[in-house]
Amino acid sequence: MAEGQSEVEQAIVTLVSCFYKHAGEEGQRETLTSEEFNKLLNEELPQLTQDVPLEDRLKELDLNKDSELNFKEYWRLIGELAKAKQKDLKDKKKK
Ligand SMILES: [Ca+2]
Ligand SMILES: [Ca+2]
């Protein structure tokens, strides 16, 4: 980790490297197969993603319908998770 990076900067690096770490495991290095996506969810996002079945989630995110997730499609997931988190935090603040 580069010195002097803020927590937020590190978090972004983590999110981006998480994609490439898993996308590089099989097939195309720039896209996630459903196998790779499954592993990514289990290993990196176990608590946030339990509620939706993998295949449904993949279909929902797969904008160009090639049954794999490119970075842009993966990033939609991050956006959705961030939105859900934001709602949590907002609700907590109200109480
Ligand atoms: Ca791949
Ligand atoms: Ca796709």
Side-chain angles (χ1 to χ4, degrees), residues 31-32 58 61-71 73-74:
T31 51
L32 295 163
L58 183 71
L61 295 168
D62 186 15
L63 288 179
N64 63 359
K65 308 269 178 257
D66 64 352
S67 304
E68 300 203 6
L69 297 182
N70 59 29
F71 185 75
E73 290 162 348
Y74 159 79

Side-chain angles (χ1 to χ4, degrees), residues 23 26-28 31 36:
E26 61 171 29
Q28 305 259 14
T31 51
E36 286 169 334

